[in-house]
Amino acid sequence: MKALVFDGSLKIQETPIPQPKEHEALIKILFSSICNTDLEIIKGYMGFTGILGHEFVGEVVNRSSDFYGKTVVGEINCPCGTCYLCKTGRKTHCPNRTVLGIQGHPGVFAGYIVLPEENLKIVPGNLPLTSAVFTEPLAAAIEIFEQVQIKPSQHVFIFGAGKLGLLISQVFRLNGCDYTTFDTHGPKIKKAIETGIHAKELSALGESEKAEICIDCTGNPAGINLALAHLYPRGKLILKTTVAQSEKIDLNQIVIHEFELIGSRCGVFESALRLLSQELVNPQPLITAIFPFDDILQAFHTAMQPDSLKILIRHGS
Amino acid sequence: MKALVFDGSLKIQETPIPQPKEHEALIKILFSSICNTDLEIIKGYMGFTGILGHEFVGEVVNRSSDFYGKTVVGEINCPCGTCYLCKTGRKTHCPNRTVLGIQGHPGVFAGYIVLPEENLKIVPGNLPLTSAVFTEPLAAAIEIFEQVQIKPSQHVFIFGAGKLGLLISQVFRLNGCDYTTFDTHGPKIKKAIETGIHAKELSALGESEKAEICIDCTGNPAGINLALAHLYPRGKLILKTTVAQSEKIDLNQIVIHEFELIGSRCGVFESALRLLSQELVNPQPLITAIFPFDDILQAFHTAMQPDSLKILIRHGS
């Protein structure tokens, strides 16, 4: 099969189709999509080499699997199941885990992948494949609500109207809270407003305006200090930005204002599939372009443009 | 009256006795004590000038007060009572507040202070004055439990066996959790162990040992990164250190491990008085020395020594 391999540079290579073991599924990839983490990996983040990609929807093709013939999405973390963190409900933090296309597990920018069957969720029949491919990033957006009680009476600022910021905004919209999504990039704000998000230019945010909950999904190391400047005392800042850089923070202000900072990563697939299949979250306007797999290098180039949101890859014929 | 004034340097000055307004108490200071915040202020923290000091026990001496003749301690924040933060239960974060000896309010290193009566708590008759003076820092230790659920089954690391670290350790001991207090300074560990605290040299902490809850009360900007290195994924780091310096933090690890960082400051006086008067917390071993007010400059000198814990000042005759 053809696969997109990163080994310091990106290239399409012919590689063998992976072989499933017991309780594993061989999945033919139908659609995949490019995440900011993929773009950070090719800048050196995580030190990953191999087949990239972790957002996908596919069909199980090995008859030995209970999921044979099903259209599925899959959790990206493959934990050991036996360590202290696995046994205390933190499988996504298992220190022995591999992570699809990120750490020790060949990714989805290929014809086929192998995943443990326990990672799979069946895609509801009514859900378009080009929406199902958003399950993983939407689950990451929903994770915020798994970690923090967001009260519908609260005032929320979301910093960043990128791919993840717009999914997070859609989920906050469902909560009924008074949220505003800020960005500095005009076309992204325009897109956000088109999709029903309450979005504004960052320049419209008054210096002294504050919220009880701030979300940093700017993808920029400076995002944290921006968000802290607009957080009420005892407010909560949810951190979604992962970048290959450290940032200097004034720790006094965290103590004096009793801020809470909460890092947030992967989430629950079932919830994401429920919101998608009931059309409570609509990811379709976030699709900037769909490329055939053979043009995946061009797809990466497009994904890096500042105006780009989600880039999908159509696999197979 | 004589007062310790900071205006770039520390000096004893003759200043007028403050005059109470309606609903304010004039308090004759009996004992005060030196906090690390005082030591940071004279390094430039908070930009405060005026009479220093905020830890005290005293007697109300104006007949116009309902507290006349009572021995009291007092909350240090004087909020406006009308702003959004005051009205939403966050008086200690009122942006219009003054803070005793820290911000816009003359402090307790003097013969007398004035405080709003609503700030006062009567000291139980059985409580030695030299223990009552610990009410404010003990309340700051208890604030952690006001903010975070600490489960008695949890594993806790407390970094720093200074004045605040030892009070925090005593409160954690009461919770029944499996805590260890770490410091690099031999005499402080010895003192901690003498007072019944489970304390160890930091060098005894294995590189890969982790806890669900970490407390940074090192008073050192590097404390946060030390604590993060020993925190389990989804663990909570409580920040107590305030220093006049920023620190560089790897934000990725907060997101990847879904850490929570929680700043923690002032707490509830009533709870502190309950624990002190029932002798569940014993601050007496934390007293390094008691100086008469006239020797307060010498007291500050002693407070800055690495072996020093709490330095008390005896006021009046």
Side-chain angles (χ1 to χ4, degrees), chain A residues 50-79:
Chain A
I51 302 175
L52 266 185
H54 58 276
E55 297 178 1
F56 78 97
V57 56
E59 186 188 334
V60 177
V61 294
N62 57 324
R63 286 180 185 274
S64 58
S65 169
D66 295 343
F67 287 86
Y68 175 67
K70 303 288 188 196
T71 303
V72 298
V73 290
E75 305 245 14
I76 70 174
N77 294 283
C78 304

Side-chain angles (χ1 to χ4, degrees), chain A residues 45-46 84-85 89-90 92-93 97 143 147 212 221 224 232-235 239-252 254-266, chain B residues 45-46 84-85 89-90 92-93 97 143 147 212 221 224 232-235 239-252 254-266:
Chain A
Y45 175 67
M46 297 296 296
Y84 172 71
L85 289 170
R90 287 172 283 189
T92 57
H93 293 282
R97 76 189 184 280
E143 172 73 353
Q147 299 177 283
E212 301 291 355
I224 183 170
Y232 273 121
R234 292 201 188 141
L239 299 173
K240 277 291 188 186
T241 293
T242 47
V243 278
Q245 244 177 297
S246 292
E247 182 70 3
K248 214 157 199 172
I249 298 179
D250 171 11
L251 297 173
N252 286 333
I254 299 177
V255 176
I256 292 174
H257 302 308
E258 296 192 318
F259 290 143
E260 286 190 36
L261 275 63
I262 300 153
S264 177
R265 215 184 71 212
C266 298
Chain B
Y45 175 67
M46 296 297 296
Y84 172 71
L85 289 170
R90 287 172 284 188
T92 57
H93 293 283
R97 77 190 185 280
E143 173 73 353
Q147 298 177 283
E212 300 291 355
I224 183 170
Y232 274 123
R234 292 203 188 138
L239 298 173
K240 277 290 187 187
T241 294
T242 47
V243 278
Q245 246 176 294
S246 292
E247 182 71 2
K248 214 157 197 171
I249 298 179
D250 171 11
L251 296 173
N252 286 334
I254 299 177
V255 176
I256 291 173
H257 301 308
E258 295 191 318
F259 290 145
E260 286 190 37
L261 276 63
I262 300 154
S264 178
R265 215 183 71 212
C266 299

Side-chain angles (χ1 to χ4, degrees), chain B residues 47-294:
Chain B
F48 176 81
T49 57
I51 304 176
L52 266 185
H54 58 276
E55 297 178 2
F56 78 97
V57 56
E59 185 189 335
V60 177
V61 293
N62 57 324
R63 286 180 186 275
S64 58
S65 169
D66 294 343
F67 287 87
Y68 176 67
K70 302 289 188 198
T71 302
V72 297
V73 290
E75 304 246 14
I76 69 174
N77 295 283
C78 304
C80 73
T82 57
C83 72
Y84 172 71
L85 289 170
C86 283
K87 287 181 173 168
T88 52
R90 287 172 284 188
K91 287 189 173 187
T92 57
H93 293 283
C94 168
N96 311 313
R97 77 190 185 280
T98 59
V99 188
L100 186 62
I102 294 175
Q103 191 179 308
H105 194 121
V108 304
F109 296 143
Y112 298 86
I113 59 162
V114 159
L115 264 188
E117 288 183 328
E118 65 175 359
N119 283 42
L120 304 185
K121 309 293 165 196
I122 293 171
V123 174
N126 69 325
L127 189 58
L129 297 179
T130 55
S131 288
V133 78
F134 283 87
T135 306
E136 197 275 340
L138 179 58
I142 294 169
E143 173 73 353
I144 295 170
F145 289 77
E146 197 71 20
Q147 298 177 283
V148 179
Q149 184 192 14
I150 309 291
K151 300 182 187 177
S153 61
Q154 274 175 326
H155 207 59
V156 177
F157 290 159
I158 299 168
F159 295 99
K163 297 182 279 294
L164 184 57
L166 289 179
L167 289 174
I168 289 170
S169 299
Q170 286 209 39
V171 180
F172 272 81
R173 193 170 63 98
L174 297 176
N175 171 273
C177 61
D178 180 11
Y179 76 95
T180 310
T181 303
F182 295 98
D183 205 296
T184 53
H185 194 66
K188 285 193 177 153
I189 296 160
K190 194 161 164 277
K191 170 65 74 177
I193 291 169
E194 278 170 22
T195 64
I197 299 303
H198 185 245
K200 284 187 182 173
E201 274 275 0
L202 182 61
S203 58
L205 178 63
E207 212 179 298
S208 64
E209 285 186 73
K210 291 180 194 288
E212 300 291 355
I213 307 275
C214 287
I215 322 284
D216 171 26
C217 39
T218 56
N220 186 316
I224 183 170
N225 283 316
L226 168 66
L228 285 174
H230 293 282
L231 193 62
Y232 274 123
R234 292 203 188 138
K236 293 176 189 190
L237 168 55
I238 290 119
L239 298 173
K240 277 290 187 187
T241 294
T242 47
V243 278
Q245 246 176 294
S246 292
E247 182 71 2
K248 214 157 197 171
I249 298 179
D250 171 11
L251 296 173
N252 286 334
Q253 64 174 335
I254 299 177
V255 176
I256 291 173
H257 301 308
E258 295 191 318
F259 290 145
E260 286 190 37
L261 276 63
I262 300 154
S264 178
R265 215 183 71 212
C266 299
V268 179
F269 273 45
E270 289 90 338
S271 310
L273 285 170
R274 277 192 287 271
L275 292 184
L276 286 170
S277 67
Q278 292 167 53
E279 296 180 15
L280 290 165
V281 167
N282 176 15
Q284 290 293 323
L286 276 63
I287 300 173
T288 295
I290 303 180
F291 287 83
F293 182 80
D294 286 346

